[in-house]
Amino acid sequence: MPSASAIHSPAEIVAQMLVDLGVATGPGGTGVWPVFSTGITDKPDDVIAVTDTSGMADGRPLLPGSDPEQHYGVQITVRGATHPRAWIKATAIRSALASVYLRTVHVGMGADHRDYTVPAMAKLDPIIVVGKDRPQSNRVLMTLNPMFAYHTSDE
């Protein structure tokens, strides 16, 4: 389980990792395919949102009295102006996450800066096509629901 020095949510860590992997801009940026970890905005049409979901306590602790290893869950929502645009981006995100191996993610600035190491994505399900974001819209929503563990540099 991460130490008390982990001050960022799993969604913030994954959002920054998507930027580092080159599949998003931001976080909260105005470039092509910006990523947000605080919800999804109405504009632009092509956007990525990462939100925290339930994870899973996993495995038995090695030290008596310690907590079991935790795998954190996030939902990555990809909204695209068209189905092909959303599918291409969701596929790129899934491929990028599958490549993660002992990745250090730098999140925040100044006193709020922390380094998190993600060993790998522990669970990476197929892309789910949710459908249109509104009945009258052409914008399409797709989601990915990965799980991962992380630790901070002081552990």
Side-chain angles (χ1 to χ4, degrees):
M1 177 165 261
S3 72
S5 68
I7 62 172
H8 299 96
S9 74
E12 291 172 298
I13 296 167
V14 171
Q16 183 59 54
M17 186 166 35
L18 294 177
V19 173
D20 296 347
L21 290 167
V23 293
T25 59
T30 57
V32 178
W33 289 102
V35 62
F36 296 87
S37 59
T38 56
I40 198 164
T41 62
D42 190 49
K43 297 286 181 188
D45 290 338
D46 298 330
V47 68
I48 302 163
V50 185
T51 53
D52 294 302
T53 62
S54 62
M56 177 173 56
D58 200 23
R60 194 174 94 177
L62 297 175
L63 300 173
S66 63
D67 293 325
E69 180 70 28
Q70 178 74 26
H71 283 99
Y72 296 90
V74 296
Q75 181 172 71
I76 302 169
T77 302
V78 177
R79 184 182 67 209
T82 64
H83 189 278
R85 284 182 64 76
W87 182 260
I88 290 167
K89 182 51 67 174
T91 301
I93 290 170
R94 190 175 190 287
S95 294
L97 292 176
S99 75
V100 170
Y101 177 72
L102 295 176
R103 181 128 194 142
T104 299
V105 183
H106 310 285
V107 183
M109 298 179 75
D112 291 336
H113 175 265
R114 297 291 185 279
D115 289 337
Y116 300 94
T117 300
V118 177
M121 301 311 283
K123 177 182 154 237
L124 193 55
D125 289 340
I127 298 164
I128 300 168
V129 178
V130 178
K132 293 184 176 183
D133 75 329
R134 280 180 244 151
Q136 300 82 9
S137 172
N138 288 328
R139 299 190 308 193
V140 176
L141 298 172
M142 299 183 186
T143 63
L144 298 98
N145 296 287
M147 283 190 184
F148 68 103
Y150 66 85
H151 62 271
T152 58
S153 58
D154 63 343
E155 297 179 84

